PDB file of all heavy atoms in Angstrom:
ATOM      1  N   ALA A 194     -49.158   7.890  25.328  1.00 71.00           N
ATOM      2  CA  ALA A 194     -50.548   7.502  24.739  1.00 71.00           C
ATOM      3  C   ALA A 194     -51.199   6.580  25.671  1.00 71.00           C
ATOM      4  O   ALA A 194     -52.435   6.713  25.979  1.00 71.00           O
ATOM      5  CB  ALA A 194     -50.381   6.886  23.357  1.00 71.00           C
ATOM      6  N   ASN A 195     -50.558   5.608  26.292  1.00 72.00           N
ATOM      7  CA  ASN A 195     -51.080   4.611  27.156  1.00 72.00           C
ATOM      8  C   ASN A 195     -51.489   5.348  28.441  1.00 72.00           C
ATOM      9  O   ASN A 195     -52.606   5.111  29.034  1.00 72.00           O
ATOM     10  CB  ASN A 195     -50.060   3.578  27.466  1.00 72.00           C
ATOM     11  CG  ASN A 195     -49.857   2.645  26.328  1.00 72.00           C
ATOM     12  OD1 ASN A 195     -50.714   2.422  25.473  1.00 72.00           O
ATOM     13  ND2 ASN A 195     -48.734   1.969  26.278  1.00 72.00           N
ATOM     14  N   ILE A 196     -50.729   6.366  28.898  1.00 74.00           N
ATOM     15  CA  ILE A 196     -51.129   7.117  30.085  1.00 74.00           C
ATOM     16  C   ILE A 196     -52.252   7.914  29.898  1.00 74.00           C
ATOM     17  O   ILE A 196     -53.152   8.019  30.688  1.00 74.00           O
ATOM     18  CB  ILE A 196     -49.867   7.928  30.640  1.00 74.00           C
ATOM     19  CG1 ILE A 196     -48.730   6.971  31.103  1.00 74.00           C
ATOM     20  CG2 ILE A 196     -50.199   8.909  31.690  1.00 74.00           C
ATOM     21  CD1 ILE A 196     -47.519   7.841  31.439  1.00 74.00           C
ATOM     22  N   ALA A 197     -52.318   8.521  28.682  1.00 72.00           N
ATOM     23  CA  ALA A 197     -53.536   9.381  28.339  1.00 72.00           C
ATOM     24  C   ALA A 197     -54.739   8.567  28.323  1.00 72.00           C
ATOM     25  O   ALA A 197     -55.786   8.973  28.750  1.00 72.00           O
ATOM     26  CB  ALA A 197     -53.219  10.059  27.024  1.00 72.00           C
ATOM     27  N   ARG A 198     -54.715   7.377  27.793  1.00 73.00           N
ATOM     28  CA  ARG A 198     -55.816   6.541  27.687  1.00 73.00           C
ATOM     29  C   ARG A 198     -56.226   6.074  29.103  1.00 73.00           C
ATOM     30  O   ARG A 198     -57.430   5.982  29.450  1.00 73.00           O
ATOM     31  CB  ARG A 198     -55.602   5.292  26.744  1.00 73.00           C
ATOM     32  CG  ARG A 198     -55.578   5.604  25.400  1.00 73.00           C
ATOM     33  CD  ARG A 198     -55.737   4.375  24.385  1.00 73.00           C
ATOM     34  NE  ARG A 198     -54.513   3.511  24.737  1.00 73.00           N
ATOM     35  CZ  ARG A 198     -53.451   3.685  23.907  1.00 73.00           C
ATOM     36  NH1 ARG A 198     -53.384   4.486  22.907  1.00 73.00           N
ATOM     37  NH2 ARG A 198     -52.358   2.825  24.091  1.00 73.00           N
ATOM     38  N   ALA A 199     -55.251   5.756  29.898  1.00 71.00           N
ATOM     39  CA  ALA A 199     -55.568   5.343  31.296  1.00 71.00           C
ATOM     40  C   ALA A 199     -56.206   6.401  32.082  1.00 71.00           C
ATOM     41  O   ALA A 199     -57.048   6.172  32.924  1.00 71.00           O
ATOM     42  CB  ALA A 199     -54.265   4.929  31.955  1.00 71.00           C
ATOM     43  N   GLN A 200     -55.832   7.720  31.737  1.00 71.00           N
ATOM     44  CA  GLN A 200     -56.574   8.818  32.513  1.00 71.00           C
ATOM     45  C   GLN A 200     -57.870   9.143  31.775  1.00 71.00           C
ATOM     46  O   GLN A 200     -58.466  10.217  32.356  1.00 71.00           O
ATOM     47  CB  GLN A 200     -55.555  10.053  32.462  1.00 71.00           C
ATOM     48  CG  GLN A 200     -54.297   9.764  33.323  1.00 71.00           C
ATOM     49  CD  GLN A 200     -53.262  10.909  33.208  1.00 71.00           C
ATOM     50  OE1 GLN A 200     -53.506  11.728  32.216  1.00 71.00           O
ATOM     51  NE2 GLN A 200     -52.488  10.957  34.091  1.00 71.00           N
ATOM     52  N   GLY A 201     -58.291   8.454  30.869  1.00 65.00           N
ATOM     53  CA  GLY A 201     -59.594   8.771  30.312  1.00 65.00           C
ATOM     54  C   GLY A 201     -59.560   9.651  29.125  1.00 65.00           C
ATOM     55  O   GLY A 201     -60.606  10.008  28.573  1.00 65.00           O
ATOM     56  N   LYS A 202     -58.507  10.298  28.740  1.00 54.00           N
ATOM     57  CA  LYS A 202     -58.516  11.126  27.675  1.00 54.00           C
ATOM     58  C   LYS A 202     -58.623  10.370  26.360  1.00 54.00           C
ATOM     59  O   LYS A 202     -57.914   9.588  26.077  1.00 54.00           O
ATOM     60  CB  LYS A 202     -57.149  11.929  27.605  1.00 54.00           C
ATOM     61  CG  LYS A 202     -57.009  12.723  28.823  1.00 54.00           C
ATOM     62  CD  LYS A 202     -55.585  13.526  28.766  1.00 54.00           C
ATOM     63  CE  LYS A 202     -55.342  14.336  29.954  1.00 54.00           C
ATOM     64  NZ  LYS A 202     -54.041  15.036  29.893  1.00 54.00           N
ATOM     65  N   GLY A 203     -59.651  10.756  25.754  1.00 50.00           N
ATOM     66  CA  GLY A 203     -60.110  10.155  24.460  1.00 50.00           C
ATOM     67  C   GLY A 203     -60.669   8.726  24.639  1.00 50.00           C
ATOM     68  O   GLY A 203     -60.757   8.077  23.654  1.00 50.00           O
ATOM     69  N   ASP A 204     -60.944   8.351  25.876  1.00 50.00           N
ATOM     70  CA  ASP A 204     -61.520   7.098  26.166  1.00 50.00           C
ATOM     71  C   ASP A 204     -63.042   7.235  26.550  1.00 50.00           C
ATOM     72  O   ASP A 204     -63.301   7.562  27.769  1.00 50.00           O
ATOM     73  CB  ASP A 204     -60.734   6.437  27.333  1.00 50.00           C
ATOM     74  CG  ASP A 204     -61.191   4.878  27.608  1.00 50.00           C
ATOM     75  OD1 ASP A 204     -62.218   4.532  27.223  1.00 50.00           O
ATOM     76  OD2 ASP A 204     -60.341   4.203  28.105  1.00 50.00           O
ATOM     77  N   PRO A 205     -64.085   6.908  25.757  1.00 52.00           N
ATOM     78  CA  PRO A 205     -65.498   7.146  26.041  1.00 52.00           C
ATOM     79  C   PRO A 205     -65.853   6.407  27.242  1.00 52.00           C
ATOM     80  O   PRO A 205     -66.704   6.828  28.043  1.00 52.00           O
ATOM     81  CB  PRO A 205     -66.084   6.633  24.758  1.00 52.00           C
ATOM     82  CG  PRO A 205     -64.981   6.718  23.662  1.00 52.00           C
ATOM     83  CD  PRO A 205     -63.797   6.334  24.301  1.00 52.00           C
ATOM     84  N   LEU A 206     -65.400   5.147  27.368  1.00 49.00           N
ATOM     85  CA  LEU A 206     -65.986   4.384  28.564  1.00 49.00           C
ATOM     86  C   LEU A 206     -65.423   5.009  29.873  1.00 49.00           C
ATOM     87  O   LEU A 206     -66.282   5.180  30.757  1.00 49.00           O
ATOM     88  CB  LEU A 206     -65.376   2.883  28.486  1.00 49.00           C
ATOM     89  CG  LEU A 206     -65.760   2.032  29.503  1.00 49.00           C
ATOM     90  CD1 LEU A 206     -67.247   1.796  29.628  1.00 49.00           C
ATOM     91  CD2 LEU A 206     -65.080   0.627  29.425  1.00 49.00           C
ATOM     92  N   PHE A 207     -64.211   5.478  29.816  1.00 49.00           N
ATOM     93  CA  PHE A 207     -63.656   6.062  31.069  1.00 49.00           C
ATOM     94  C   PHE A 207     -64.560   7.434  31.361  1.00 49.00           C
ATOM     95  O   PHE A 207     -64.996   7.768  32.525  1.00 49.00           O
ATOM     96  CB  PHE A 207     -62.165   6.372  31.016  1.00 49.00           C
ATOM     97  CG  PHE A 207     -61.598   6.923  32.305  1.00 49.00           C
ATOM     98  CD1 PHE A 207     -61.160   6.000  33.174  1.00 49.00           C
ATOM     99  CD2 PHE A 207     -61.637   8.284  32.484  1.00 49.00           C
ATOM    100  CE1 PHE A 207     -60.550   6.550  34.435  1.00 49.00           C
ATOM    101  CE2 PHE A 207     -61.057   8.719  33.636  1.00 49.00           C
ATOM    102  CZ  PHE A 207     -60.467   7.800  34.631  1.00 49.00           C
TER     103      PHE A 207
END
Side-chain angles (χ1 to χ4, degrees):
N195 290 335
I196 292 174
R198 282 195 297 270
Q200 292 176 344
K202 296 179 180 179
D204 187 337
L206 180 60
F207 187 89

